[in-house]
Amino acid sequence: MPFLSATLDRVKPSPTIAVTTKAAELKAAGRDVIGLGAGEPDFDTPQNIKDAAVTAIADGKTKYTAVDGIPELKEAICAKFKRDNALDYAPSQITVGTGGKQVLYNAFMATLNPGDEVIIPAPYWVSYPDMVLLAGGTPVPVEATLEANFKITAEQLESAITPKTKWFLFNSPSNPTGAGYSWSELKELTDVLMRHPHVWVMTDDMYEHLAYGNFKFCTPAQVEPGLYDRTLTVNGVSKAYAMTGWRIGYAGGPEALIKATRKVQSQSTSNPCSVSQYAAVEALNGTQDFLAPNNALFERRRDLVVDMLNKAPGIVCPKPEGAFYVYPSIAGCIGKISAAGTVIENDEVFATALLEETGVAVVFGAAFGLSPNFRVSYATSDQALKEACSRIIRFCEGLH
């Protein structure tokens, strides 16, 4: 339409939301659909957090707040960063947004000029490149292969940096692969960044508490304190605290950068939901006892899905270190024909045929910048996962 902004031509709608919406539409039409597209825990928000929200409502804490967070929440975030990540931030170095996505978006809007480059390891969360494009920057994907466990090397990072590089965007554990960088692996990357003082670091640590086995989470400014003054450490309560719909994300960083992101937020959404902020205070300050049993459940589901998908002909599914996703390769399925006669030309065709022929909804790999793969979210019941994986196995067995 001629009156729409040309900026919209540079971006596309979120494929993960599109898959979830399509699955919901099919369910409403009476189809037997198992949705493995949504990156959302199936647990309820813990009771103590819900109680804090009810109390906030009863106490009339339903008015406008400071643009980027109430003092109580900023103090809780400072305490969290110190407790979990050995990072010292003052409240003036903290921003709170309507989900982690807004915090990332604000930072790009506040810092990117035309021609500025943002290095993004691929596979990546679908929104990263489009947020960079909306802010006028240029995304620079760096491909991490299955053979490298979906992690980029120091050499790849070094070769991607140019005089135009403004940010390195780092996500571990990763959406969509679940890959997590160890301390030594991350140190190799931060050593590169220390040689390029014009490059800033933006982290997405949303899956920090979803780490399995012997894997220990770490974040760049923690591994290399020399990066502290040019790192925006982004996190939130959505995943670990089962608070996706509450929409609270936050970050710690240099005060001048935080002030700039506050200006962006002041002219877009203003403050995040007041009630959600008080709930987030309880999430960060209250008991953390539920994290370990929730992780044990997720780890069991991960092992179940990895084991079953590796039995499907043509699929190779590595075992990730964290998050609640797997990102199997379907290289062995490309070029084959489904039982219903669909030629599997690429991972998007695979995902479409899988949904139409078996009722299993997954997100195709091209949406995340690496093909031929698909993403499965195992943040759903064991029963649903077993049935979905059984259908995927039968679908692959039917390829010829």
Side-chain angles (χ1 to χ4, degrees), residues 4-5 28 44 53 67 78 102 105 158 230 241 262 287 297 306-307 344 380-381:
L4 295 180
S5 168
D44 193 14
V67 165
C78 290
Q102 184 183 26
Y105 182 79
E158 184 88 56
R230 52 187 170 106
Y241 298 95
R262 184 185 307 131
T287 179
L297 183 57
V306 169
D307 180 62
I344 307 300
T380 191
S381 70

Side-chain angles (χ1 to χ4, degrees), residues 145-334:
T145 63
L146 181 146
E147 292 73 23
N149 295 317
F150 300 121
K151 302 174 195 178
I152 67 166
T153 65
E155 292 75 19
Q156 286 180 291
L157 176 58
E158 184 88 56
S159 64
I161 294 173
T162 75
K164 295 181 178 180
T165 304
K166 175 71 69 80
W167 288 101
F168 169 54
L169 179 51
F170 181 75
N171 174 217
S172 168
S174 156
N175 176 6
T177 66
Y181 289 72
S182 68
W183 187 285
S184 60
E185 289 169 335
L186 183 49
K187 184 64 166 66
E188 291 179 3
L189 299 183
T190 59
D191 284 349
V192 172
L193 294 164
M194 287 299 291
R195 294 196 290 272
H196 297 276
H198 70 289
V199 180
W200 283 54
V201 184
M202 189 183 303
T203 79
D204 181 349
D205 297 346
M206 198 62 69
Y207 298 92
E208 169 183 6
H209 292 298
L210 300 170
Y212 313 124
N214 295 321
F215 175 70
K216 304 294 184 186
F217 170 85
C218 53
T219 194
Q222 175 185 18
V223 171
E224 176 48 74
L227 292 174
Y228 175 88
D229 289 330
R230 52 187 170 106
T231 297
L232 185 70
T233 303
V234 183
N235 210 316
V237 297
S238 296
K239 310 300 183 178
Y241 298 95
M243 294 177 67
T244 50
W246 299 77
R247 309 306 299 133
I248 294 292
Y250 58 81
E255 195 166 333
L257 175 59
I258 298 300
K259 186 176 180 181
T261 64
R262 184 185 307 131
K263 181 186 290 187
V264 174
Q265 189 159 308
S266 73
Q267 297 296 0
S268 55
T269 62
S270 293
N271 66 271
C273 171
S274 62
V275 175
S276 294
Q277 290 188 66
Y278 286 99
V281 172
E282 175 60 25
L284 295 178
N285 286 345
T287 179
Q288 310 290 300
D289 290 348
F290 57 88
L291 293 177
N294 284 2
N295 265 22
L297 183 57
F298 275 136
E299 186 170 5
R300 190 184 77 224
R301 291 173 176 177
R302 176 202 64 175
D303 295 344
L304 164 70
V305 170
V306 169
D307 180 62
M308 291 191 72
L309 289 181
N310 277 317
K311 294 175 181 175
I315 287 182
V316 176
C317 184
K319 182 181 288 188
E321 290 86 357
F324 38 64
Y325 309 105
V326 294
Y327 198 68
S329 166
I330 58 161
C333 301
I334 299 299

Side-chain angles (χ1 to χ4, degrees), residues 108-122:
F108 286 138
M109 290 298 293
T111 60
L112 292 179
N113 295 305
D116 286 344
E117 296 175 349
V118 179
I119 295 173
I120 306 174

Side-chain angles (χ1 to χ4, degrees), residues 10-207:
R10 298 199 294 265
V11 302
K12 55 190 179 299
S14 167
T16 52
I17 294 174
V19 168
T20 304
T21 302
K22 177 67 172 176
E25 289 172 352
L26 289 173
K27 275 187 177 181
R31 285 285 304 276
D32 175 18
V33 174
I34 303 174
L36 303 180
E40 181 170 61
D42 58 322
F43 311 134
D44 193 14
T45 304
Q47 190 62 47
N48 64 307
I49 299 173
K50 293 194 289 186
D51 289 344
V54 172
T55 299
I57 294 170
D59 290 346
K61 295 176 178 176
T62 56
K63 309 295 185 184
Y64 291 133
T65 75
V67 165
D68 64 347
I70 58 175
E72 299 94 322
L73 182 51
K74 290 191 174 187
E75 291 285 357
I77 292 166
C78 290
K80 174 262 176 281
F81 277 132
K82 179 68 173 177
R83 177 179 71 238
D84 295 341
N85 314 115
L87 292 174
D88 285 305
Y89 290 113
S92 59
Q93 294 177 277
I94 301 296
T95 184
V96 182
T98 304
K101 180 183 281 191
Q102 184 183 26
V103 176
L104 296 167
Y105 182 79
N106 286 347
F108 286 138
M109 290 298 293
T111 60
L112 292 179
N113 295 305
D116 286 344
E117 296 175 349
V118 179
I119 295 173
I120 306 174
Y124 43 68
W125 181 40
V126 294
S127 293
Y128 292 154
D130 290 303
M131 286 193 286
V132 171
L133 290 166
L134 279 171
T138 303
V140 179
V142 176
E143 188 173 293
T145 63
L146 181 146
E147 292 73 23
N149 295 317
F150 300 121
K151 302 174 195 178
I152 67 166
T153 65
E155 292 75 19
Q156 286 180 291
L157 176 58
E158 184 88 56
S159 64
I161 294 173
T162 75
K164 295 181 178 180
T165 304
K166 175 71 69 80
W167 288 101
F168 169 54
L169 179 51
F170 181 75
N171 174 217
S172 168
S174 156
N175 176 6
T177 66
Y181 289 72
S182 68
W183 187 285
S184 60
E185 289 169 335
L186 183 49
K187 184 64 166 66
E188 291 179 3
L189 299 183
T190 59
D191 284 349
V192 172
L193 294 164
M194 287 299 291
R195 294 196 290 272
H196 297 276
H198 70 289
V199 180
W200 283 54
V201 184
M202 189 183 303
T203 79
D204 181 349
D205 297 346
M206 198 62 69
Y207 298 92

